[in-house]
Amino acid sequence: MTLPKPEDLIIHSLGECRFPSPLQLGAASGEYHGEFMSDAAKVRFHVELERLEGRPDDLFFERAGPRERLFFDPSKVKAAIVTCGGLCPGINNVIRSVFLSLKYNYGVPEVYGIRYGYRGLNPAYGDGFIRLTHEMVENIHLHGGTFLGSSRGPQPVEVMLDTLADRGIDMLFCVGGDGTQRGADALAQAARRRNLPLAVVGIPKTIDNDIPYVFRSFGYGTAVEKAREVIAGAHAEAKGAPNGIVIVKLMGRNAGFIAAGATTASQEVNFAFIPELPFDLDPPNGFLAHLEKRVLQRGHAVIVVAEGAGQHLFGDLPVERDASGNIKHHDIGTYLRDRIIAHFRERRIEANVKYIDPSYLIRSVPANCDDAQLSDRFARYAVHAAMAGKTDLLIGYWHGLFVHVPMHLVTSQKKHLSPKSSMWLSVLAATGQPVLMVNEPVPETTAS
């Protein structure tokens, strides 16, 4: 991860906070009430002392929380919520908690939902606004998906900003991953150029858990939990047939957090592959040789592979992109299946190979208890930030605390699973797989 400079962590503000907060909190410690958060409250970037050697130790995030003085008069605010990109457990929890916090904690009279992502802000697709009510959102947290709908791909920034201005929207909550936050950043910058007092606050959403400065995004825990259930079935299938081999492909376009998390939670996986580590298939040290040895010794094997793993194996096939600009990865799951079948057939070894792809199932379920709590906290911290006139920021989760992260930092890089991390070392310990399955030395990767 690229080390930011102190000036990179400064949060944009719309101006002077002239209105008192309606929240029943204190300015100092009290026995029976919470406290307002001061802008002076910071969270240190580095917490490990050895990490500070030769590095600046004066890097701090602004801590998130309710402010005593607000930029907006709550009684006159119009707010909107938009959800973009792929589904993720907990989106409906976020929508509901943003609405409840605005309506009942701050007394905001008008809260709108934007239908089908950023396209709902483009009049070319019709009127994308619906005014939210308590009855609409009362039970949405019990269901997966997004009550508002979603879409991929950008829309013209000036058109979206015109729509928000015409509607008199004061604050926009953008729930999504890196593509969504790039759009949010562009909206916030365009609003500044026009001197429009629009607060744009991002809420991180990705089951891939690859948003920087967010230790864990909501939905990741639920996805891992559901993936573990799939792996349990895969293990039963593998053991239920002679030389049974089952491949489970999980989401993880650029980062292997789901594959690693599900592997360590399951403890029944024998090989795990992530985008951050290369691997070969052919002998002497390629995966197929190790798989053959495992099957001959133990009679079965379970393989977990992230969707972005092994893309180097497809050679010079043409590159395609989705509506968000992301590279469409080739199907590593079916590729591995076919290569495994061919290998064992060539070696005249019986093998019963099965392939499971639960990708769209694990992301469309309701949030579990842990993610429900995390979703609620992300949502409420986002509302506190917007009411105080803070803009062009994402609510981050850093060393167990919620912080304000400038949007440009979020969109400048992705978070990856380091092969040096304790998480990947746990995967190696749980699977027993070799550290590297390559036939030629590879350059050492850097932690991020």
Side-chain angles (χ1 to χ4, degrees), residues 101-132:
S101 185
L102 287 167
K103 190 75 173 177
Y104 296 111
N105 296 139
Y106 283 100
V108 170
E110 295 183 53
V111 183
Y112 293 89
I114 309 299
R115 294 286 284 156
Y116 298 113
Y118 284 140
R119 66 183 286 173
L121 293 174
N122 188 343
Y125 293 98
D127 184 1
F129 283 70
I130 56 173
R131 186 167 178 174
L132 300 180

CSV table of all heavy atoms in Angstrom, one decimal, residues 101-132:
chain,number,residue,atom,x,y,z
A,101,SER,N,-31.3,7.0,10.7
A,101,SER,CA,-30.4,8.0,11.3
A,101,SER,C,-30.8,9.4,10.9
A,101,SER,O,-30.9,10.3,11.7
A,101,SER,CB,-29.0,7.7,11.0
A,101,SER,OG,-28.1,8.6,11.7
A,102,LEU,N,-31.0,9.6,9.6
A,102,LEU,CA,-31.4,10.9,9.1
A,102,LEU,C,-32.8,11.3,9.6
A,102,LEU,O,-33.0,12.4,10.1
A,102,LEU,CB,-31.5,10.8,7.6
A,102,LEU,CG,-30.1,10.8,6.8
A,102,LEU,CD1,-30.4,10.5,5.3
A,102,LEU,CD2,-29.4,12.1,6.9
A,103,LYS,N,-33.8,10.4,9.6
A,103,LYS,CA,-35.1,10.7,9.9
A,103,LYS,C,-35.4,10.9,11.4
A,103,LYS,O,-36.0,11.8,11.8
A,103,LYS,CB,-36.0,9.6,9.4
A,103,LYS,CG,-37.5,9.9,9.4
A,103,LYS,CD,-37.9,10.8,8.3
A,103,LYS,CE,-39.5,11.0,8.3
A,103,LYS,NZ,-39.9,12.0,7.3
A,104,TYR,N,-34.9,9.9,12.2
A,104,TYR,CA,-35.2,9.9,13.6
A,104,TYR,C,-34.2,10.5,14.5
A,104,TYR,O,-34.5,10.9,15.6
A,104,TYR,CB,-35.6,8.5,14.0
A,104,TYR,CG,-36.8,8.0,13.2
A,104,TYR,CD1,-36.7,7.0,12.3
A,104,TYR,CD2,-38.1,8.5,13.4
A,104,TYR,CE1,-37.8,6.5,11.6
A,104,TYR,CE2,-39.2,8.1,12.7
A,104,TYR,CZ,-39.1,7.1,11.8
A,104,TYR,OH,-40.2,6.7,11.1
A,105,ASN,N,-32.9,10.4,14.1
A,105,ASN,CA,-31.9,11.0,14.9
A,105,ASN,C,-31.7,12.5,14.7
A,105,ASN,O,-31.5,13.3,15.6
A,105,ASN,CB,-30.5,10.3,14.8
A,105,ASN,CG,-30.6,8.8,15.2
A,105,ASN,OD1,-30.0,7.9,14.6
A,105,ASN,ND2,-31.3,8.6,16.3
A,106,TYR,N,-31.8,12.8,13.4
A,106,TYR,CA,-31.5,14.2,13.0
A,106,TYR,C,-32.8,15.0,12.6
A,106,TYR,O,-32.8,16.2,12.5
A,106,TYR,CB,-30.5,14.3,11.8
A,106,TYR,CG,-29.1,14.1,12.3
A,106,TYR,CD1,-28.4,12.9,12.2
A,106,TYR,CD2,-28.4,15.1,12.9
A,106,TYR,CE1,-27.1,12.7,12.6
A,106,TYR,CE2,-27.0,14.9,13.3
A,106,TYR,CZ,-26.4,13.7,13.2
A,106,TYR,OH,-25.2,13.5,13.6
A,107,GLY,N,-33.9,14.3,12.4
A,107,GLY,CA,-35.1,15.0,12.0
A,107,GLY,C,-35.2,15.5,10.6
A,107,GLY,O,-35.9,16.4,10.2
A,108,VAL,N,-34.4,14.8,9.7
A,108,VAL,CA,-34.4,15.2,8.2
A,108,VAL,C,-35.8,14.9,7.6
A,108,VAL,O,-36.2,13.7,7.7
A,108,VAL,CB,-33.3,14.5,7.5
A,108,VAL,CG1,-33.4,14.7,6.0
A,108,VAL,CG2,-31.9,15.0,8.0
A,109,PRO,N,-36.4,15.8,7.0
A,109,PRO,CA,-37.8,15.6,6.5
A,109,PRO,C,-37.9,14.8,5.2
A,109,PRO,O,-38.9,14.1,4.9
A,109,PRO,CB,-38.3,17.0,6.3
A,109,PRO,CG,-37.1,17.8,6.0
A,109,PRO,CD,-36.0,17.2,6.8
A,110,GLU,N,-36.9,14.8,4.3
A,110,GLU,CA,-37.0,14.2,3.0
A,110,GLU,C,-35.7,13.3,2.7
A,110,GLU,O,-34.6,13.9,2.7
A,110,GLU,CB,-37.1,15.2,1.9
A,110,GLU,CG,-38.4,16.0,2.0
A,110,GLU,CD,-38.6,17.0,0.8
A,110,GLU,OE1,-38.4,16.5,-0.4
A,110,GLU,OE2,-38.8,18.2,1.0
A,111,VAL,N,-35.9,12.1,2.6
A,111,VAL,CA,-34.8,11.1,2.2
A,111,VAL,C,-35.3,10.4,1.0
A,111,VAL,O,-36.4,9.8,0.9
A,111,VAL,CB,-34.5,10.1,3.3
A,111,VAL,CG1,-33.4,9.3,3.0
A,111,VAL,CG2,-34.2,10.9,4.6
A,112,TYR,N,-34.4,10.3,-0.1
A,112,TYR,CA,-34.8,9.7,-1.3
A,112,TYR,C,-33.9,8.5,-1.6
A,112,TYR,O,-32.7,8.5,-1.2
A,112,TYR,CB,-34.7,10.7,-2.5
A,112,TYR,CG,-35.7,11.8,-2.4
A,112,TYR,CD1,-35.5,13.0,-1.7
A,112,TYR,CD2,-37.0,11.7,-3.0
A,112,TYR,CE1,-36.4,14.0,-1.6
A,112,TYR,CE2,-37.9,12.7,-2.9
A,112,TYR,CZ,-37.6,13.8,-2.2
A,112,TYR,OH,-38.6,14.8,-2.1
A,113,GLY,N,-34.4,7.6,-2.3
A,113,GLY,CA,-33.6,6.5,-2.8
A,113,GLY,C,-33.5,6.6,-4.3
A,113,GLY,O,-34.4,7.1,-5.0
A,114,ILE,N,-32.3,6.4,-4.8
A,114,ILE,CA,-32.0,6.5,-6.3
A,114,ILE,C,-32.1,5.1,-6.9
A,114,ILE,O,-31.4,4.2,-6.4
A,114,ILE,CB,-30.6,7.1,-6.6
A,114,ILE,CG1,-30.4,8.4,-5.8
A,114,ILE,CG2,-30.4,7.3,-8.1
A,114,ILE,CD1,-31.4,9.5,-6.1
A,115,ARG,N,-32.9,4.9,-7.8
A,115,ARG,CA,-33.1,3.5,-8.4
A,115,ARG,C,-32.0,3.2,-9.4
A,115,ARG,O,-31.6,4.0,-10.2
A,115,ARG,CB,-34.5,3.5,-9.1
A,115,ARG,CG,-35.7,3.7,-8.2
A,115,ARG,CD,-35.9,2.4,-7.4
A,115,ARG,NE,-36.5,1.4,-8.3
A,115,ARG,CZ,-36.5,0.1,-8.0
A,115,ARG,NH1,-35.8,-0.4,-7.0
A,115,ARG,NH2,-37.1,-0.8,-8.8
A,116,TYR,N,-31.5,2.0,-9.3
A,116,TYR,CA,-30.6,1.3,-10.2
A,116,TYR,C,-29.3,2.1,-10.4
A,116,TYR,O,-28.9,2.4,-11.5
A,116,TYR,CB,-31.3,1.1,-11.6
A,116,TYR,CG,-32.5,0.1,-11.5
A,116,TYR,CD1,-33.8,0.6,-11.7
A,116,TYR,CD2,-32.2,-1.2,-11.1
A,116,TYR,CE1,-34.8,-0.3,-11.5
A,116,TYR,CE2,-33.3,-2.1,-10.9
A,116,TYR,CZ,-34.6,-1.6,-11.2
A,116,TYR,OH,-35.7,-2.5,-11.0
A,117,GLY,N,-28.7,2.5,-9.3
A,117,GLY,CA,-27.4,3.1,-9.3
A,117,GLY,C,-27.3,4.5,-9.9
A,117,GLY,O,-28.3,5.2,-9.9
A,118,TYR,N,-26.2,4.8,-10.5
A,118,TYR,CA,-26.0,6.1,-11.0
A,118,TYR,C,-26.9,6.4,-12.2
A,118,TYR,O,-27.2,7.6,-12.5
A,118,TYR,CB,-24.5,6.4,-11.4
A,118,TYR,CG,-23.6,6.6,-10.2
A,118,TYR,CD1,-22.3,6.0,-10.2
A,118,TYR,CD2,-24.0,7.4,-9.2
A,118,TYR,CE1,-21.5,6.2,-9.1
A,118,TYR,CE2,-23.1,7.6,-8.1
A,118,TYR,CZ,-21.9,7.0,-8.1
A,118,TYR,OH,-21.1,7.2,-7.0
A,119,ARG,N,-27.4,5.4,-12.9
A,119,ARG,CA,-28.3,5.7,-14.0
A,119,ARG,C,-29.6,6.3,-13.6
A,119,ARG,O,-30.3,7.0,-14.3
A,119,ARG,CB,-28.6,4.4,-14.8
A,119,ARG,CG,-29.3,3.3,-14.1
A,119,ARG,CD,-29.5,2.1,-14.9
A,119,ARG,NE,-30.5,2.3,-15.9
A,119,ARG,CZ,-30.8,1.4,-16.9
A,119,ARG,NH1,-30.1,0.2,-16.9
A,119,ARG,NH2,-31.7,1.6,-17.8
A,120,GLY,N,-29.9,6.1,-12.3
A,120,GLY,CA,-31.1,6.8,-11.7
A,120,GLY,C,-30.9,8.3,-11.6
A,120,GLY,O,-31.9,9.0,-11.3
A,121,LEU,N,-29.7,8.8,-11.7
A,121,LEU,CA,-29.4,10.2,-11.7
A,121,LEU,C,-29.4,10.8,-13.1
A,121,LEU,O,-29.1,12.0,-13.3
A,121,LEU,CB,-28.1,10.5,-11.0
A,121,LEU,CG,-28.1,10.2,-9.5
A,121,LEU,CD1,-26.7,10.4,-8.9
A,121,LEU,CD2,-29.1,11.1,-8.8
A,122,ASN,N,-29.6,10.0,-14.1
A,122,ASN,CA,-29.6,10.4,-15.5
A,122,ASN,C,-31.0,10.4,-16.0
A,122,ASN,O,-31.6,9.4,-16.2
A,122,ASN,CB,-28.7,9.5,-16.4
A,122,ASN,CG,-28.5,10.0,-17.8
A,122,ASN,OD1,-29.3,10.8,-18.3
A,122,ASN,ND2,-27.5,9.4,-18.5
A,123,PRO,N,-31.6,11.6,-16.3
A,123,PRO,CA,-33.0,11.7,-16.8
A,123,PRO,C,-33.3,10.9,-18.0
A,123,PRO,O,-34.4,10.5,-18.3
A,123,PRO,CB,-33.2,13.2,-17.0
A,123,PRO,CG,-32.2,13.8,-16.2
A,123,PRO,CD,-31.0,12.9,-16.2
A,124,ALA,N,-32.2,10.5,-18.8
A,124,ALA,CA,-32.4,9.7,-20.0
A,124,ALA,C,-33.1,8.4,-19.7
A,124,ALA,O,-33.7,7.7,-20.5
A,124,ALA,CB,-31.1,9.5,-20.7
A,125,TYR,N,-32.9,7.9,-18.4
A,125,TYR,CA,-33.5,6.6,-18.0
A,125,TYR,C,-34.8,6.8,-17.3
A,125,TYR,O,-35.3,5.9,-16.7
A,125,TYR,CB,-32.5,5.9,-17.1
A,125,TYR,CG,-31.3,5.4,-17.9
A,125,TYR,CD1,-30.1,6.1,-17.8
A,125,TYR,CD2,-31.3,4.2,-18.6
A,125,TYR,CE1,-28.9,5.7,-18.5
A,125,TYR,CE2,-30.1,3.8,-19.3
A,125,TYR,CZ,-29.0,4.6,-19.2
A,125,TYR,OH,-27.9,4.2,-19.9
A,126,GLY,N,-35.3,8.0,-17.2
A,126,GLY,CA,-36.6,8.3,-16.5
A,126,GLY,C,-36.3,8.8,-15.1
A,126,GLY,O,-35.1,9.1,-14.7
A,127,ASP,N,-37.3,9.0,-14.3
A,127,ASP,CA,-37.2,9.5,-13.0
A,127,ASP,C,-36.8,8.4,-12.1
A,127,ASP,O,-37.5,7.4,-11.8
A,127,ASP,CB,-38.6,10.0,-12.5
A,127,ASP,CG,-38.5,10.7,-11.1
A,127,ASP,OD1,-37.4,10.7,-10.6
A,127,ASP,OD2,-39.6,11.1,-10.6
A,128,GLY,N,-35.5,8.6,-11.5
A,128,GLY,CA,-35.0,7.5,-10.7
A,128,GLY,C,-35.2,7.7,-9.2
A,128,GLY,O,-34.6,7.0,-8.4
A,129,PHE,N,-35.9,8.7,-8.8
A,129,PHE,CA,-36.1,9.1,-7.4
A,129,PHE,C,-37.3,8.5,-6.8
A,129,PHE,O,-38.4,8.5,-7.4
A,129,PHE,CB,-36.2,10.6,-7.2
A,129,PHE,CG,-34.8,11.3,-7.3
A,129,PHE,CD1,-34.2,11.4,-8.5
A,129,PHE,CD2,-34.3,11.9,-6.2
A,129,PHE,CE1,-33.0,12.1,-8.6
A,129,PHE,CE2,-33.0,12.5,-6.3
A,129,PHE,CZ,-32.4,12.6,-7.5
A,130,ILE,N,-37.2,7.9,-5.6
A,130,ILE,CA,-38.4,7.5,-4.8
A,130,ILE,C,-38.2,8.0,-3.4
A,130,ILE,O,-37.1,8.0,-2.8
A,130,ILE,CB,-38.6,5.9,-4.8
A,130,ILE,CG1,-37.3,5.2,-4.2
A,130,ILE,CG2,-39.0,5.4,-6.1
A,130,ILE,CD1,-37.5,3.8,-4.0
A,131,ARG,N,-39.2,8.6,-2.9
A,131,ARG,CA,-39.2,9.2,-1.5
A,131,ARG,C,-39.4,8.1,-0.6
A,131,ARG,O,-40.4,7.4,-0.6
A,131,ARG,CB,-40.2,10.3,-1.3
A,131,ARG,CG,-40.1,11.0,0.0
A,131,ARG,CD,-40.9,12.2,0.1
A,131,ARG,NE,-40.8,12.9,1.4
A,131,ARG,CZ,-41.3,14.1,1.7
A,131,ARG,NH1,-42.0,14.7,0.7
A,131,ARG,NH2,-41.1,14.6,2.9
A,132,LEU,N,-38.4,7.9,0.3
A,132,LEU,CA,-38.4,6.7,1.2
A,132,LEU,C,-39.3,7.0,2.4
A,132,LEU,O,-39.4,8.2,2.9
A,132,LEU,CB,-37.0,6.4,1.7
A,132,LEU,CG,-36.0,6.0,0.6
A,132,LEU,CD1,-34.6,5.7,1.2
A,132,LEU,CD2,-36.5,4.8,-0.2
